[in-house]
Each structure stands twice: as structure tokens, then as C-alpha cells.
Amino acid sequence: MKKILFIFFTFCAINLSFAQKVQKAIKITYQRTSNGKLSENQNLMFVFASKDLSLITSDKIIQQKADFPFEQTFVDFNTKTISQWAQLNATKSILSHDTEALGKQKFEFSNETKKILNYTCKKATTSVNSNKIEIWYTNELGLKGGPGVLGQDLGLVLETIRNGNSTLTATKIETIKAIPSVLAIPSVPAVDQLTYKDLLWKSRFVNIPVFNKEQIHFVSDAKSNDSIFRFASGTVIVRKIKFPEIKKGSAIYVDVTQQSNGDAYDRTGSVFMIPMDKKQSFLDGLKNGVKTLPAYENGNGKKYQGVVATDEYNPLLEMMRFFTPFGVKHFNYLELKNKAWQDSVIYRQDISLLQPKLSNQEVYIGMFIGNYDAGGHKASLNITIHQGEDNNPKGDFILPLFNTLNVMEMAGQEYSTMFDNEKGLEMTFEVPQGYKNFKLSYTTTGHGGWENGDEFLQKKNTILIDGKEVFGFTPWRTDCGSYRLSNPASGNFGNGLSSSDESRSNWCPGTTTNPNLIDLGNLTPGKHTIRVSIPLGKPEGTSSSAWNVSGFLIGEK
């Protein structure tokens, strides 16, 4: 009701010049077809056309049932002006005018004709962004207009065909005495076209800002404030975030923008959620010290803090694994001929699988960048929610299993060297009743940055469920040279390669690492064992290898 009343009062306060100027007009109804089939549940498009003006609108807008945001397009043939108006939400609308676009349209004309609704139509063709557009228009009505901005000044467009398979065709033409005043251009302040497009785009999704150019660095006196907590000498930042209800099928993305603020090296980064649904959480370790977290032991003599789930604890749920490049922004003064360094690195990843853990929840979201530099890095983090129907199956059940990335590295958390033992990483988990089609989301990267370190060696990762191998692969990235322009401080070798060019164990400086989605089938309810086995390389002097692996279980109802 609030939405309907707002639209009513908005249109009552509009500039009525459009309606007053038009005394006689027609209304054209259009339908969409794709590959010859009528599109289902479509919102019919309407065009109102007169001698001087045309208006593109829709059935739902006229019925005041359109979802926000919605648009209407007006064309004034006397001034050759295309005006676009958008209602972004219940309280904000915007308007933009373009006096040049109509005159810049170029067409190839054909002698072909055909009948549409008993009117003889001519054919004009153009190309937009490599899409071939056919426009069928008639001059027999003495009016101009159409269902899009293309061809508005040719005559009355009764059909448009894109790439030969997507068609918009007029199905009815009605004579009306006047265009209803409710459809006139509202009197709202106009903005430039770029601002209009930007505001309209941003209104189509929910943006949740988490961090904005926060410094992630190594200092002994890192201080928290009312909203952002800093841990592990400033290398970990955490904030509590409230998520709205997220409809199943929506797309969720995490975006990180990162720059060096003094650190020249490629560093491991992670965006994570801290599960709080058990007696103990990783947040306790951040606050009270790494030794307060439950330790995992496999017989190699070391204790690995907080890396596997227990009856009373869940490890970090990783949302994104990323790697900083060599000194982007801060070291851009290191010039090389014909190299124009990037200003920052943007990482973007789809995390829609985590919808059950985020929807209508208040959760702790954190970011880690491992470094020992007082300047460190600056990073921003946003999470965006895009409503829509995604045909890919999504989980109803999410269970964090393990995360060996030592996020508290600078506070003493052990490096993930448990793979030097045959047992590797092994743990027990429980499958509840009522779920099927289980999958494991598994993220893995190898580390050990010297010639014989696992960062530069191909090592098979093997996953076993209840003692049976269910997945095995060798994680390896060969495309690292593609990101050279983000790595101004990368070392250069005598053979002409840069360090950032080198292939690595599933990561490159300046990129994200994609998780593997592993089908596990219909696991029976009850307890199961999972083991991750990797042939870890031997230490050399003070250098050692490690593998950062994280995984969570997904189940469908």
C-alpha cells in the first residue's frame, strides 16, 4: 500500500506538459518471443505515441505493481531528446536527458517489406555491441515511436529482432484520445547520463560495506574501535555485520580491493566468517590467545590450534582466499618500459553457497593478510546480494569441517605442516537426518617459497571419506604471468622471467583461489571420517613447506 500511495502522489505532482501537449495518440502492445516461442510470464510492453512524443512503459508500471527499480523512456521528436526516468525505491527517483543519441543512430536500409497488423513495414538494420538488430517500421500511421530507443525517428517501429532469435512484436494498436496524465515526465532534478546509469545499477542489488580502506599491518599496539576489532598485531580485522533475509536462488558476491601500503611481498589473504553456534569460537582465540583454541594432533609432535571442528567448536568458514601481488600502488614508482602498473587489485568471488549461513543473520566477518610490515596493506570489503533465480543447486545445510590457514600467524598459530605425517588431516563429522546430494567445498594452496618449497612443486591432494578416496587432483596455476601489471616490486631473474610469472600451487600473486566443489553423493546419517592427504616437502634449513586447506560440507533437503 505504501508503494502504491507513493507512486500515486508522485505522479499527481508531476509536470503535466506531456499530457497537455498530446490530444490524440495510439497505444501499442508488444510481446516477446525467443527462438520462436512466446516468453512465459512476461510483463507486456506498452508504447504511447503521438505526433510529437512517444513513451515506453509496461503493464506493471501502469498497474502500479512494478518492482523497484523501474524505468520509463520518453522521446520528444521536436527537440530530439530522449528522457529516461527511474523510480529507484519508495522515496527516490531520477531523471536524465540525452539530446544527441537520437541523431547519432545509423542504419542500413533494405527494400524488404512485410505486413505487421496489416501495416506495411520497412526494414532497417544496425549493430549494437556486436549484436545485429533488425527494425521493422511503418510510416502509414504518420506517427513515430517504438519499444526501444533504436529507430524512434524512423517511423512507428512494430518489431525488433536481435541476433535473429529474440523478437519484440506489436500485437495490438489502439486509438486513445489522450495519453493519461499519470504517465507524464515527473518534475524531478535531472542528473547526467553516467550518474543516472550508476544510480540505477546500484539500486538493483543490496550492498553491504564491511571494511573501507582499512589498514592491515603488523604493529604491536593495533587498536580496535567501536566497530572494527583488530587482532594478531593488526594483521586480522573483524566486524559484526547484520545480513537481511536472502532469498534462495539469490547470488551473493564478496568484493575486496587491495593496495600495498608498504609491504612489497605476495601475501596470503582470507575473508572469513566466524561461526558462533557452538560453545567455543575462533573469536575466543583472537581475544584470549591461540592456546585457548582446541588443538589438533596427528602424532607428528606438533599442536595445530583451531583448525578442525569438534563437538564444541567450529573452525573459520572461509569465504574467499586471495593473494596480494608484489607491492601494487606503493611501489608503482619502480618503472619498467611499456609497463603501466595497476592502481589496485580487485578480487571478486561468488559465495552464494553460503546463503544458509548468512540470510537474516548477524555474524562476525573478518579479513586477514599475513605480513610483518608496519605499513602493510590497505583493503576494502563489500558483500553484494543480487536477487534472482539461480538454476544451480544450493545447499540447505552448511557444516564447517576444517581450515588450516593460520590466520593468527602473527600471534603464534602453528603453520599447517600436519601433512608431513601419513595421517595428514583427519577428523570425524556427523551427517544429520533429512539431507542428500552432499558436496565438499575444498580450497587448497601450497606454500614454501624457495626452489624446493611446495609453493613451486606439484603435489597431489587426496580426499578420503571413511577410508575411500573420493577426490584426487594436483592443484596448479600456470597463468600467473597474466597479472604482471599488478606486481611492480616482483623480482626479476636472469632468464627474463619475473617472480610473479612463476607457476604455483593453486595461486598467483594478485588473484583469488577458486574452491573445488566435490560431489560426495548421499552420505548416510551418522558419523563419518574425512582425511586430507598431501605429500609435504621436507624442510631445508630454516625454510619449510605448508598447505593451507579449508573445507565445508554442503547438503540439500
Side-chain angles (χ1 to χ4, degrees):
M1 177 60 72
K2 179 180 178 182
K3 178 177 177 180
I4 293 174
L5 288 174
F6 172 78
I7 295 173
F8 174 77
F9 287 120
T10 296
F11 284 136
C12 285
I14 56 179
N15 179 350
L16 297 180
S17 62
F18 189 93
Q20 292 171 347
K21 196 171 185 178
V22 177
Q23 299 302 318
K24 291 184 179 180
I26 60 172
K27 174 186 174 184
I28 311 104
T29 303
Y30 294 83
Q31 283 188 334
R32 295 177 178 84
T33 57
S34 179
N35 293 312
K37 295 182 179 180
L38 191 66
S39 302
E40 297 180 357
N41 302 317
Q42 60 180 284
N43 179 21
L44 293 177
M45 180 177 290
F46 296 145
V47 170
F48 291 85
S50 72
K51 179 181 177 183
D52 302 307
L53 303 156
S54 76
L55 164 64
I56 306 170
T57 185
S58 74
D59 185 32
K60 287 186 177 180
I61 292 176
I62 290 179
Q63 294 189 48
Q64 299 181 4
K65 294 180 180 179
D67 294 327
F68 297 126
F70 57 82
E71 282 187 286
Q72 293 187 145
T73 300
F74 304 80
V75 180
D76 187 321
F77 298 111
N78 295 319
T79 62
K80 305 296 183 183
T81 300
I82 298 173
S83 300
Q84 290 181 295
W85 172 80
Q87 188 71 46
L88 303 182
N89 53 47
T91 60
K92 185 174 183 180
S93 62
I94 55 174
L95 180 67
S96 180
H97 303 294
D98 188 338
T99 58
E100 298 181 356
L102 201 61
K104 289 182 177 179
Q105 295 179 10
K106 303 295 182 184
F107 302 96
E108 293 182 6
F109 295 95
S110 167
N111 293 325
E112 293 181 67
T113 62
K114 70 176 179 179
K115 291 279 189 177
I116 301 176
L117 296 178
N118 292 322
Y119 295 100
T120 300
C121 294
K122 304 175 185 178
K123 180 182 176 182
T125 306
T126 189
S127 178
V128 178
N129 299 330
S130 300
N131 294 289
K132 180 182 178 182
I133 311 294
E134 298 176 31
I135 296 171
W136 292 90
Y137 64 97
T138 184
N139 301 118
E140 293 182 353
L141 285 156
L143 298 173
K144 296 179 179 180
V149 295
L150 286 176
Q152 285 272 342
D153 212 23
L154 297 177
L156 193 62
V157 178
L158 297 185
E159 185 173 75
T160 62
I161 306 171
R162 187 186 66 187
N163 296 328
N165 54 30
S166 182
T167 304
L168 195 57
T169 306
T171 59
K172 184 193 298 185
I173 298 178
E174 306 169 74
T175 301
I176 56 176
K177 292 182 178 179
I179 293 180
S181 60
V182 72
L183 298 171
I185 304 176
S187 294
V188 297
V191 297
D192 64 87
Q193 294 166 53
L194 194 60
T195 300
Y196 176 91
K197 292 177 182 178
D198 183 63
L199 291 173
L200 179 62
W201 170 68
K202 289 178 178 176
S203 72
R204 297 186 184 280
F205 58 91
V206 175
N207 181 63
I208 301 175
V210 183
F211 302 119
N212 182 32
K213 296 182 179 179
E214 291 295 330
Q215 192 171 9
I216 301 178
H217 57 154
F218 184 77
V219 289
S220 59
D221 60 346
K223 293 180 174 60
S224 302
N225 56 37
D226 291 341
S227 63
I228 297 176
F229 305 104
R230 300 180 185 277
F231 302 105
S233 299
T235 59
V236 178
I237 57 177
V238 175
R239 186 179 179 191
K240 199 173 189 179
I241 297 295
K242 178 68 172 70
F243 284 87
E245 181 181 356
I246 305 173
K247 294 181 180 179
K248 194 171 182 180
S250 296
I252 311 169
Y253 281 81
V254 59
D255 292 279
V256 171
T257 302
Q258 174 268 330
Q259 297 174 325
S260 168
N261 194 53
D263 187 15
Y265 282 94
D266 51 337
R267 304 293 190 180
T268 304
S270 181
V271 177
F272 55 84
M273 188 189 93
I274 303 177
M276 302 291 290
D277 53 350
K278 289 187 178 179
K279 182 179 179 180
Q280 193 175 9
S281 75
F282 195 86
L283 187 62
D284 297 326
L286 289 169
K287 291 179 177 179
N288 305 319
V290 70
K291 291 183 179 179
T292 64
L293 294 173
Y296 170 74
E297 298 179 71
N298 70 353
N300 70 353
K302 293 184 178 181
K303 294 182 178 181
Y304 303 93
Q305 310 95 340
V307 298
V308 300
T310 68
D311 291 341
E312 296 185 341
Y313 169 82
N314 272 330
L316 295 177
L317 187 58
E318 190 165 36
M319 305 169 82
M320 173 196 280
R321 179 88 52 88
F322 67 94
F323 293 88
T324 71
F326 289 92
V328 70
K329 177 68 174 181
H330 189 81
F331 292 90
N332 283 9
Y333 64 85
L334 299 172
E335 294 183 322
L336 290 178
K337 191 173 182 62
N338 298 324
K339 300 290 185 187
W341 306 123
Q342 298 294 317
D343 179 72
S344 59
V345 173
I346 298 174
Y347 313 87
R348 180 170 169 85
Q349 199 160 51
D350 185 343
I351 59 166
S352 305
L353 285 171
L354 296 178
Q355 182 266 351
K357 285 291 186 182
L358 301 176
S359 179
N360 204 28
Q361 299 292 318
E362 194 169 29
V363 300
Y364 286 97
I365 302 293
M367 187 189 298
F368 158 76
I369 298 177
N371 71 98
Y372 287 97
D373 189 89
H377 304 259
K378 285 193 174 181
S380 299
L381 168 62
N382 292 281
I383 298 174
T384 59
I385 302 167
H386 309 258
Q387 288 195 21
E389 293 301 323
D390 188 339
N391 293 326
N392 291 311
K394 296 292 185 292
D396 301 286
F397 166 75
I398 302 288
L399 178 65
L401 296 177
F402 52 84
N403 188 338
T404 70
L405 175 54
N406 53 339
V407 167
M408 293 179 67
E409 174 186 354
M410 285 66 186
Q413 188 179 10
E414 185 63 61
Y415 283 83
S416 48
T417 60
M418 67 281 290
F419 302 102
D420 63 354
N421 183 291
E422 183 180 358
K423 187 177 180 180
L425 177 74
E426 186 173 85
M427 61 162 296
T428 299
F429 63 95
E430 187 164 358
V431 171
Q433 293 277 357
Y435 295 94
K436 61 182 180 180
N437 297 332
F438 286 94
K439 294 179 176 64
L440 174 69
S441 178
Y442 176 70
T443 303
T444 179
T445 52
H447 305 269
W450 81 103
E451 184 179 358
N452 296 316
D454 280 7
E455 178 177 325
F456 299 110
L457 297 178
Q458 299 179 18
K459 296 293 185 72
K460 182 181 178 182
N461 285 220
T462 304
I463 308 253
L464 301 98
I465 300 289
D466 300 329
K468 180 181 178 181
E469 181 176 336
V470 295
F471 186 71
F473 83 120
T474 300
W476 194 244
R477 287 282 293 269
T478 61
D479 60 329
C480 296
S482 302
Y483 309 98
R484 182 68 179 92
L485 294 181
S486 296
N487 290 274
S490 176
N492 297 305
F493 304 133
N495 62 0
L497 284 176
S498 167
S499 177
S500 64
D501 295 334
E502 296 277 5
S503 298
R504 288 173 168 82
S505 291
N506 215 31
W507 63 276
C508 298
T511 70
T512 63
T513 292
N514 293 325
N516 295 88
L517 202 57
I518 303 166
D519 286 313
L520 301 179
N522 294 327
L523 297 175
T524 57
K527 291 188 179 297
H528 296 268
T529 300
I530 185 170
R531 180 157 67 93
V532 181
S533 177
I534 306 169
L536 188 75
K538 301 273 186 199
E540 292 183 12
T542 58
S543 299
S544 61
S545 295
W547 280 82
N548 294 329
V549 299
S550 69
F552 58 88
L553 188 68
I554 307 158
E556 300 174 28
K557 283 186 178 178

